[in-house]
Amino acid sequence: MSDQNPVFIPGPTNIPEAIRKACDIPTMDHRSAAFPPIFEAAKSGVKQVIGMTEGEVVIFPASGTGGWEASVTNTLSPGDKVLAARHGMFSQKWIDLCQRHGLDVQVIEAPWGSGVPVEVFAQTLAADTGHAIKAVLVTHNETATGVTSDVGAVRAAMNAAKHPALLMVDGVSSIGSLDFRMDEWGVDLAVAGSQKGFMLPAGLAIVGISPKALAAMETGGLPRCFFDFRDMLTGIYPYTPAVGLLNGLAKSVDMLLDEGMDNVRARHHRIAEGVRQAVAAWGLSPCAVSPALYSDTVTAIMLPEGIDGNALCQHAADAYGVAYGAGLGAVAGKVFRIGHLGMMTDVMALAGIATAEMAMADMGVDVTLGSGVAAAQDYYRKNKPAHVRAAA
Ligand SMILES: *Cc1c(COP(=O)(O)O)cnc(C)c1O
């Protein structure tokens, strides 16, 4: 008997069969003529997915964390000042990475569940008339709390202050799922990983680099070797590429672009909204403090006092073979997370909601079985995808 259930963690995400097959190719000599078409297809598809027409995409055999490190070490110099908000586990880890590289991080503390404090950023940038700040870091989608921040508003604040800092965006749990506009938002470095919106196994760090960031790379930088953009941009891959994953990425971007990025975003929004309707029906609330911040890729759900979110996730795994995201850092134990990104359908989301209800009921949460499922069903029936409405 197969007991393979979908996962509801916010990455790694479920892998479509076609992508799994694309990853499974015989050994290839990456110096042969067979490799460049795969690599070029992957890179040009990524550019379209993130809304980028200038600059370069580089892809390392690494995870998203490697993309953070590459962005920072290629464009900043020892002691450089960077501005970042700490409002969740991922923003915290990127700050930590910068500090370990000897950068001077001006940390703006914000409550977990809130977004990037754009007003504070605006004031800080306006006050920095000497332009000591060399980079502004934004975690587009804080996966720990289920919060999506407004990158466009940060760009507007930088423009208003006429501030020349680089805008670095962690898009690991947004790119390929949520609206992302590299060119329009003036993003200088966009970081993604293969195992979230791209629906692949972990193993690729994907970085979009603007022309301005490429110029910064020429004049600055921290010690780097494995992550050196310059080696990646010679036209010859500097070491052994993860060919199977790159072939999978070429398939992934094909699938995303075939669906159409607007449809991909709309699907994520619909599915997320159904999950949020379920959460409301349970009488619970998202960790995200206001609807404008609600993430369409992951919902972190606040649990009642006395219910341990980590125990709940462990129980769901043991009893039902279903994975949910445990709370991290400051919200460890207080929340559990439902990931609803990547390969996700109404049907899968309903299964995830139903199983979460069973696990919560088992753990003593006062939840009526079926209440969340009914709320989500109602929403999905009334808000069918555009292509279904068109066919009806
Ligand atoms: C998953 C994640 C990361 C870390 O990526 P890894 O691939 O695990 O290194 C960074 N930032 C965000 C927002 C994430 O969701």
Side-chain angles (χ1 to χ4, degrees), residues 10 63-66 68 90 139 141-143 170-173 193 195-196 202:
S63 75
T65 304
W68 281 342
F90 293 94
T139 301
N141 190 76
E142 200 13 293
T143 319
D170 172 350
V172 180
S173 64
Q195 80 277 22
K196 296 187 184 173

Side-chain angles (χ1 to χ4, degrees), residues 39-342:
F39 192 37
E40 291 309 317
K43 285 192 294 185
S44 76
V46 167
K47 285 187 179 175
Q48 291 178 67
V49 166
I50 65 178
M52 165 181 186
T53 54
E54 301 178 288
E56 301 281 351
V57 165
V58 297
I59 306 176
F60 296 99
S63 75
T65 304
W68 281 342
E69 183 147 309
S71 299
V72 164
T73 57
N74 279 281
T75 59
L76 299 174
S77 298
D80 272 359
K81 189 165 181 178
V82 309
L83 175 65
R86 174 159 39 215
H87 57 121
M89 195 64 188
F90 293 94
S91 45
Q92 152 61 21
K93 288 181 85 164
W94 202 8
I95 289 167
D96 175 54
L97 183 145
C98 290
Q99 289 171 334
R100 292 203 221 173
H101 277 290
L103 297 168
D104 172 15
V105 189
Q106 181 167 355
V107 180
I108 309 291
E109 301 289 349
W112 287 42
S114 70
V116 168
V118 178
E119 274 308 306
V120 183
F121 271 30
Q123 287 158 16
T124 307
L125 290 164
D128 181 36
T129 50
H131 300 160
I133 295 168
K134 300 301 178 198
V136 176
L137 272 46
V138 174
T139 301
H140 184 201
N141 190 76
E142 200 13 293
T143 319
T145 55
V147 162
T148 303
S149 289
D150 189 344
V151 180
V154 174
R155 165 47 69 196
M158 293 174 73
N159 288 352
K162 296 197 168 54
H163 203 292
L166 295 168
L167 175 56
M168 300 192 184
V169 178
D170 172 350
V172 180
S173 64
S174 62
I175 286 172
S177 308
L178 307 183
D179 194 16
F180 198 94
R181 308 182 191 188
M182 179 94 179
D183 285 358
E184 195 181 317
W185 294 340
V187 175
D188 292 302
L189 292 132
V191 178
S194 49
Q195 80 277 22
K196 296 187 184 173
F198 289 111
M199 305 171 284
L200 285 155
L204 299 177
I206 301 161
V207 185
I209 315 166
S210 75
K212 184 171 155 186
L214 288 169
M217 167 192 86
E218 295 298 342
T219 55
L222 293 162
R224 74 259 197 212
C225 171
F226 183 83
F227 287 122
D228 202 323
F229 286 163
R230 292 167 301 191
D231 295 339
M232 276 286 167
L233 295 171
T234 60
I236 298 165
Y237 208 87
Y239 32 76
T240 313
V243 178
L245 287 172
L246 288 166
N247 199 52
L249 180 59
K251 182 71 194 173
S252 164
V253 292
D254 245 16
M255 287 172 69
L256 288 169
L257 296 169
D258 242 19
E259 182 176 355
M261 293 314 296
D262 287 342
N263 294 330
V264 169
R265 282 172 213 127
R267 173 168 56 84
H268 280 82
H269 180 70
R270 279 185 60 259
I271 289 174
E273 194 52 41
V275 171
R276 292 189 284 262
Q277 298 284 331
V279 172
W282 295 333
L284 301 176
S285 325
C287 176
V289 296
S290 74
L293 299 171
Y294 289 169
S295 166
D296 285 339
T297 58
V298 53
T299 301
I301 300 153
M302 302 296 295
L303 285 161
E305 203 68 37
I307 307 288
D308 176 12
N310 293 355
L312 173 69
C313 291
Q314 189 61 52
H315 175 71
D318 292 345
Y320 303 112
V322 174
Y324 298 94
L328 302 171
V331 291
K334 296 180 185 157
V335 304
F336 80 106
R337 296 174 298 151
I338 300 182
H340 33 76
L341 74 163

